[in-house]
């Protein structure tokens, strides 16, 4: 049933937010020259997939976890997009494709071995990664892999339509701070 919600809401989101996304692309062309960012992430069953986001950092930024990136790499438009979580909008395409869910553990990078190991201990790779989740609305990011995995496991074990919608509404209302940069 949650997959059906993912399909319906991601399709609606893509259609309704298309004008906003086109504006972000236009502004992004002036900001970085390359407004869309694609990156390999670890998905369900540890299968790699290409995550799509709006670019928030300069094009020459090394591909590392956000908490390891330099805060100076974030562009002026990128600060705005991150603040309002608009950089995540292209991931609605990943949800529609089935790579992700609206709600689930945030997908990590293959080089985040501590995150991968912690998630393995909690058997979290049996679910689709998500755009948002319990950890994200509580300000827990990948800089604390064990805590992140514990909170993700709690969410996965308690997942039901009520929690799914609660986490989506909490995210839309601005709860959570997004990934920290340069810790």
């Amino acid at each position: 049933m949650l997959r059906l919600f993912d399909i319906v809401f991601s399709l609606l989101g893509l259609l309704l937010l298309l004008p906003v996304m086109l504006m972000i692309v236009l502004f992004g062309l002036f900001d970085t020259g390359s407004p869309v960012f694609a990156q390999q992430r670890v998905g369900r069953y540890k299968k790699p997939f290409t995550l799509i986001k709006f670019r928030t950092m300069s094009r020459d930024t090394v591909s590392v976890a956000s908490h390891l990136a330099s805060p100076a790499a974030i562009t002026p438009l990128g600060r705005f997009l991150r603040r309002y979580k608009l950089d995540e909008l292209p991931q609605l395409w990943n949800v529609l494709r089935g790579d992700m869910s609206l709600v689930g553990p945030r997908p990590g990078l293959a080089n985040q071995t501590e995150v991968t190991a912690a998630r393995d201990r909690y058997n979290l790779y049996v679910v689709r990664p998500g755009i948002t989740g319990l950890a994200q609305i509580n300000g827990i990011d990948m800089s604390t892999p064990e805590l992140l995995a514990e909170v993700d496991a709690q969410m996965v074990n308690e997942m039901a339509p009520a929690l799914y919608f609660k986490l989506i509404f909490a995210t839309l209302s601005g709860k959570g701070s997004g990934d920290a940069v340069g810790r």
Side-chain angles (χ1 to χ4, degrees):
M1 175 183 267
L2 297 181
R3 179 68 190 134
L4 178 62
F5 291 149
D6 280 345
I7 292 168
V8 169
F9 295 132
S10 63
L11 186 57
L12 281 173
L14 285 166
L15 292 173
L16 294 174
L17 296 169
L18 183 62
V20 172
M21 291 192 282
L22 289 173
M23 285 180 50
I24 293 171
V25 166
L26 182 64
F27 288 128
L29 286 171
F30 293 104
D31 188 50
T32 64
S34 177
V36 179
F37 174 69
Q39 186 179 56
Q40 287 293 122
R41 297 287 180 108
V42 180
R44 188 176 191 189
Y45 306 120
K46 291 192 198 173
K47 181 182 172 195
F49 74 98
T50 303
L51 179 129
I52 305 166
K53 293 179 77 166
F54 286 124
R55 186 177 299 279
T56 61
M57 296 186 190
S58 59
R59 289 171 61 180
D60 59 349
T61 303
V62 178
S63 182
V64 294
S66 290
H67 67 278
L68 299 175
S70 168
I74 299 177
T75 68
L77 177 62
R79 266 189 282 289
F80 175 82
L81 295 177
R82 282 175 168 262
R83 180 175 183 185
Y84 296 102
K85 301 175 185 131
L86 296 173
D87 59 320
E88 311 286 354
L89 290 178
Q91 290 173 61
L92 292 171
W93 176 250
N94 289 112
V95 174
L96 187 61
R97 283 179 36 102
D99 297 325
M100 295 177 69
S101 174
L102 291 175
V103 177
R106 283 295 296 159
L109 297 165
N111 65 5
Q112 291 178 294
T113 55
E114 290 179 33
V115 171
T116 302
R119 286 181 167 170
D120 267 340
R121 286 191 289 279
Y122 288 93
N123 200 29
L124 290 171
Y125 287 106
V126 299
V127 298
R128 284 182 181 86
I131 294 176
T132 191
L134 186 60
Q136 285 68 42
I137 67 163
N138 286 296
I140 301 166
D141 65 18
M142 296 192 186
S143 64
T144 55
E146 194 63 36
L147 176 61
L148 176 66
E150 288 174 21
V151 173
D152 284 343
Q154 176 189 347
M155 173 187 65
V156 168
N157 291 333
E158 296 174 3
M159 188 53 66
L163 180 58
Y164 176 92
F165 286 108
K166 177 182 175 184
L167 294 172
I168 289 171
F169 289 126
T171 301
L172 292 175
S173 69
K175 193 154 176 134
S177 58
D179 289 337
V181 177
R183 278 198 183 169

